[in-house]
Amino acid sequence: MASYKHFSVFLYAFVFAAVVSTAYSSLSPDYYDYSCPNALSSIRSVVEAAVQKEQRMGASLLRLHFHDCFVNGCDGSILLDPSPSIDSEKNALPNFQSIRGFEVVDEIKQAVDEACGKPVVSCADILAVAARDSVVALGGPTWEVRLGRRDSTTASREAANANIPAPFFSLSELISNFKSHGLNEKDLVVLSGGHTIGYARCATFRDHIYDDSNINQRFGKELKYICPKKGGDFNLAPLDRTAAQFDSVYFSDLIHRKGILHSDQELFNGGSTDALVKRYSYNSKAFHKDFAKSMIKMGNIKPLTGSKGEVRLNCRTVN
């Protein structure tokens, strides 16, 4: 009887491990190798052209992938336009009149479908690959994107409002938010490093420069010329001093109290993440390496695979 129980426990553990392994490995870097071997090169060509034309587009494509994964997993739901059945995430507070890059995604989708001869690559996978290629185009690290995601047939503005980290979040709120998505403090710091590229709207940093004390006074004064107390909500400021280059300057800026967003400066404000910010400020190699790892980890947040979801014919609408 004892040996039978031992065998049952062993069998259960084996089956459980197999299920977990299968769920985690359902995404694969070579998912399209046979169905569309030119898929990734097609995505890269469009992204490189878009970033060369407008460097800000690199940050926009990276941000699209972030905001997509933080709602109901990396399922392309952020790309869906409003309709009678779709409460579009494009209208959520973190995205409305702020998120960009949808036209480039449309261009990528067209190019990939032509290369494949039919719709094979999901819009969710396009976002994941485009985010990686954008980082590379701006001098950042590369990584193997795990593929095989399928596209959501729904979207949720409410979920987007609730799950996308806000620029006014405290450190504890940021940690809690990332933890709810299976990401730890290291992931929080290193993925926030994505703010080494791109720009922020005045409306997202006004409270920080006028109300917070943990900001370099001269830096704050400079930002006030860009962002008055009233009006100018869409005026832009670079998220770090080298906004068109993927480097570690973002972390150096935080150490000198020059974080644009309240949530950015919270990462270096006497809390548990200070040490990581210091490390990445002088070790760009470590930042690049860890960023790649965390991007892979984020890309695995609740993907739709197998028979779930669909491969959209048009990234803006369900089939």
Side-chain angles (χ1 to χ4, degrees):
M1 178 66 72
S3 61
Y4 174 77
K5 288 182 178 179
H6 176 77
F7 176 76
S8 296
V9 170
F10 172 80
L11 181 62
Y12 174 80
F14 177 80
V15 170
F16 178 77
V19 169
V20 171
S21 176
T22 300
Y24 185 79
S25 62
S26 58
L27 301 182
S28 168
D30 57 4
Y31 186 83
Y32 297 109
D33 281 6
Y34 294 102
S35 61
C36 188
N38 295 322
L40 300 191
S41 61
S42 298
I43 297 173
R44 182 173 62 252
S45 295
V46 177
V47 170
E48 288 177 347
V51 174
Q52 186 174 10
K53 182 178 179 181
E54 182 188 356
Q55 290 179 321
R56 282 174 53 199
M57 189 54 65
S60 296
L61 293 171
L62 178 61
R63 190 181 178 197
L64 269 179
H65 182 47
F66 269 82
H67 285 207
D68 183 45
C69 291
F70 268 71
V71 181
N72 287 313
C74 310
D75 61 4
S77 60
I78 195 171
L79 301 173
L80 290 171
D81 283 342
S83 76
S85 61
I86 298 294
D87 189 13
S88 179
E89 293 164 23
K90 294 178 180 180
N91 292 330
L93 292 175
N95 299 329
F96 184 65
Q97 294 185 330
S98 171
I99 209 82
R100 301 169 63 246
F102 298 108
E103 293 79 10
V104 176
V105 174
D106 294 338
E107 188 179 347
I108 295 171
K109 174 66 171 170
Q110 181 179 352
V112 171
D113 285 355
E114 289 177 359
C116 300
K118 59 181 179 180
V120 173
V121 181
S122 69
C123 300
D125 275 349
I126 285 175
L127 277 185
V129 177
R132 188 270 311 274
D133 291 346
S134 296
V135 169
V136 173
L138 294 172
T142 189
W143 59 92
E144 281 194 324
V145 179
R146 293 171 181 166
L147 303 164
R149 300 168 190 81
R150 287 168 66 83
D151 296 321
S152 159
T153 57
T154 62
S156 174
R157 178 173 53 172
E158 182 180 357
N161 283 329
N163 287 284
I164 296 173
F168 53 79
F169 270 11
S170 66
L171 179 60
S172 62
E173 288 173 317
L174 289 168
I175 291 172
S176 177
N177 179 280
F178 272 66
K179 185 178 180 180
S180 71
H181 299 294
L183 301 171
N184 58 33
E185 285 189 32
K186 186 175 184 180
D187 298 316
L188 163 62
V189 175
V190 75
L191 290 175
S192 295
H195 283 175
T196 188
I197 54 176
Y199 292 74
R201 291 181 302 139
C202 165
T204 64
F205 61 83
R206 178 182 284 116
D207 289 347
H208 178 50
I209 63 175
Y210 285 100
D211 299 337
D212 290 347
S213 59
N214 61 339
I215 184 170
N216 179 286
Q217 289 187 357
R218 183 174 179 178
F219 177 65
K221 186 176 181 180
E222 292 172 356
L223 287 177
K224 288 175 183 177
Y225 286 110
I226 300 172
C227 184
K229 278 193 174 183
K230 293 184 179 180
D233 285 0
F234 293 95
N235 294 350
L236 298 175
L239 283 162
D240 80 4
R241 288 170 287 137
T242 56
Q245 185 175 344
F246 196 97
D247 53 28
S248 59
V249 169
Y250 165 81
F251 297 106
S252 299
D253 283 352
L254 295 186
I255 290 174
H256 292 97
R257 308 292 181 186
K258 294 182 178 181
I260 292 287
L261 305 177
H262 173 88
S263 56
D264 284 337
Q265 195 58 61
E266 280 289 285
L267 300 179
F268 191 83
N269 195 35
S272 59
T273 54
D274 281 14
L276 277 171
V277 171
K278 286 182 180 179
R279 170 175 165 78
Y280 294 138
S281 72
Y282 63 78
N283 193 336
S284 59
K285 185 176 180 180
F287 167 48
H288 281 199
K289 181 180 178 181
D290 291 345
F291 185 84
K293 289 181 178 178
S294 290
M295 285 297 292
I296 293 172
K297 187 175 179 181
M298 186 186 75
N300 277 278
I301 297 176
K302 297 187 294 184
L304 298 174
T305 58
S307 60
K308 297 178 181 178
E310 63 184 15
V311 175
R312 287 191 212 131
L313 305 177
N314 181 332
C315 289
R316 294 174 179 267
T317 61
V318 297
N319 295 345

